[in-house]
């Protein structure tokens, strides 16, 4: 990890194709080592969950619609998706100097899923509040995060007691790691513990998204 972070720091200072080409062999070695780490996490997580895939982010940025034209990302990231349609939610790990984290949840639910979640919260927030107030959840994530619309979504009462939850359009959790924590011998263990701490949240959301408002299966 120390070699990875040193390389990423240098890349951030020299984010151009000439420098990257000159240090391509170093990049190849580092990405190979990180893939081993990411795959090891995948194997361990698979013992506790049913995953359908692993997606390791490419280093190359898509600059077509961005004002920032620097060609390379300055982090390494990986996503693990669960086996749909019964299991919902996705896990994510980002390694970046000063900005490493383990997160997961629902970054961009489609319109149908988002409406179903909001309708659930409109009826009751008992289960989600039980999950987010749990000691383990608070220890690892603090609170449920995610972007929200500015006002009540169409069809919902702006004075509803759960309007702060209903306004959300993302439902995510995140635990940040300092560089020192990433370099520690127990980092892999802490990553796995963090991922597993998401399970009650994922299991509840999966149940919501695979049933109608009467609790009947739609799968």
């Amino acid at each position: 990890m120390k070699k990875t972070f040193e390389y990423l720091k240098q890349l951030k200072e020299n984010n151009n194709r000439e420098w990257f080409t000159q240090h391509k062999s170093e990049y190849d070695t580092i990405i190979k080592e990180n893939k081993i780490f990411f795959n090891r996490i995948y194997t361990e997580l698979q013992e506790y969950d049913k995953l359908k895939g692993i997606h390791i982010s490419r280093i190359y940025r898509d600059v077509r619609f961005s004002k920032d034209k620097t060609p390379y990302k300055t982090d390494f990231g990986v996503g693990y998706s669960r086996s749909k349609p019964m299991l919902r939610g996705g896990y994510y790990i980002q390694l970046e100097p000063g900005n490493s984290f383990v997160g997961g949840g629902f970054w961009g639910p489609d319109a149908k899923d988002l409406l179903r979640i909001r309708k659930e919260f409109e009826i009751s927030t008992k289960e989600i509040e039980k999950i987010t107030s749990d000691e383990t959840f608070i220890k690892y994530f603090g609170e449920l995060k995610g972007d929200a619309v500015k006002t009540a979504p169409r069809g919902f009462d702006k004075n509803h007691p759960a309007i702060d939850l209903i306004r959300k359009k993302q439902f995510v959790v995140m635990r940040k790691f300092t560089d020192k924590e990433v370099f520690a011998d127990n980092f892999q263990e802490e990553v796995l513990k963090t991922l597993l701490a998401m399970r009650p949240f994922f299991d509840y959301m999966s149940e919501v998204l695979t049933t109608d408002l009467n609790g009947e299966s739609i799968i």
Side-chain angles (χ1 to χ4, degrees):
M1 290 302 175
K2 287 183 178 180
K3 290 180 180 179
T4 293
F5 277 30
E6 183 57 38
Y7 174 83
L8 290 173
K9 287 177 181 178
Q10 292 181 34
L11 177 59
K12 188 174 183 178
E13 295 173 358
N14 304 275
N15 201 328
N16 59 76
R17 290 180 175 82
E18 182 181 2
W19 185 90
F20 185 80
T21 300
Q22 291 175 352
H23 295 79
K24 186 62 164 57
S25 60
E26 184 179 356
Y27 165 77
D28 290 341
T29 299
I30 289 173
I31 191 61
K32 181 178 180 180
E33 293 174 349
N34 277 273
K35 284 181 177 179
I36 292 172
F37 173 75
F38 290 148
N39 279 293
R40 193 179 296 143
I41 295 292
Y42 179 85
T43 300
E44 290 188 329
L45 188 58
Q46 189 76 283
E47 294 180 12
Y48 302 92
D49 203 349
K50 292 182 179 179
L51 306 177
K52 75 167 187 177
I54 175 173
H55 176 72
I56 299 175
S57 300
R58 300 174 73 245
I59 195 72
Y60 307 98
R61 295 182 64 248
D62 183 353
V63 299
R64 292 174 297 172
F65 308 106
S66 175
K67 291 182 180 179
D68 180 3
K69 298 301 182 182
T70 50
Y72 306 107
K73 298 175 183 177
T74 55
D75 65 80
F76 290 121
V78 61
Y80 307 106
S81 54
R82 304 178 81 209
S83 296
K84 287 185 177 182
M86 294 303 297
L87 303 180
R88 303 296 182 88
Y91 303 98
Y92 189 77
I93 302 171
Q94 176 170 298
L95 301 176
E96 181 180 12
N99 189 35
S100 298
F101 66 86
V102 174
F106 304 78
W107 283 270
D110 62 31
K112 182 180 178 182
D113 283 352
L114 182 57
L115 179 61
R116 175 66 183 87
I117 294 168
R118 285 172 170 168
K119 285 291 187 181
E120 183 72 17
F121 293 159
E122 183 182 42
I123 294 172
S124 174
T125 58
K126 181 179 179 180
E127 288 300 318
I128 190 65
E129 288 178 352
K130 180 180 179 182
I131 291 167
T132 57
S133 63
D134 181 80
E135 183 178 316
T136 300
F137 184 95
I138 294 173
K139 173 185 175 182
Y140 284 104
F141 311 117
E143 62 181 358
L144 184 64
K145 300 178 177 65
D147 292 342
V149 295
K150 293 182 178 180
T151 187
R154 180 179 298 179
F156 292 89
D157 181 2
K158 66 179 181 180
N159 296 314
H160 192 285
I163 193 60
D164 286 345
L165 273 174
I166 293 170
R167 286 193 304 109
K168 285 187 178 296
K169 56 183 180 180
Q170 296 176 319
F171 306 88
V172 297
V173 295
M174 180 188 299
R175 177 190 177 186
K176 292 189 175 182
F177 286 82
T178 65
D179 292 1
K180 183 178 180 180
E181 289 171 330
V182 173
F183 299 156
D185 292 338
N186 68 338
F187 177 59
Q188 181 175 319
E189 179 183 352
E190 286 300 312
V191 167
L192 185 62
K193 286 181 179 178
T194 306
L195 295 172
L196 293 179
M198 300 179 200
R199 280 297 303 278
F201 169 52
F202 280 6
D203 291 346
Y204 166 68
M205 295 290 272
S206 294
E207 182 178 351
V208 169
L209 293 173
T210 55
T211 59
D212 60 21
L213 291 174
N214 294 316
E216 298 294 328
S217 175
I218 58 174
I219 302 300

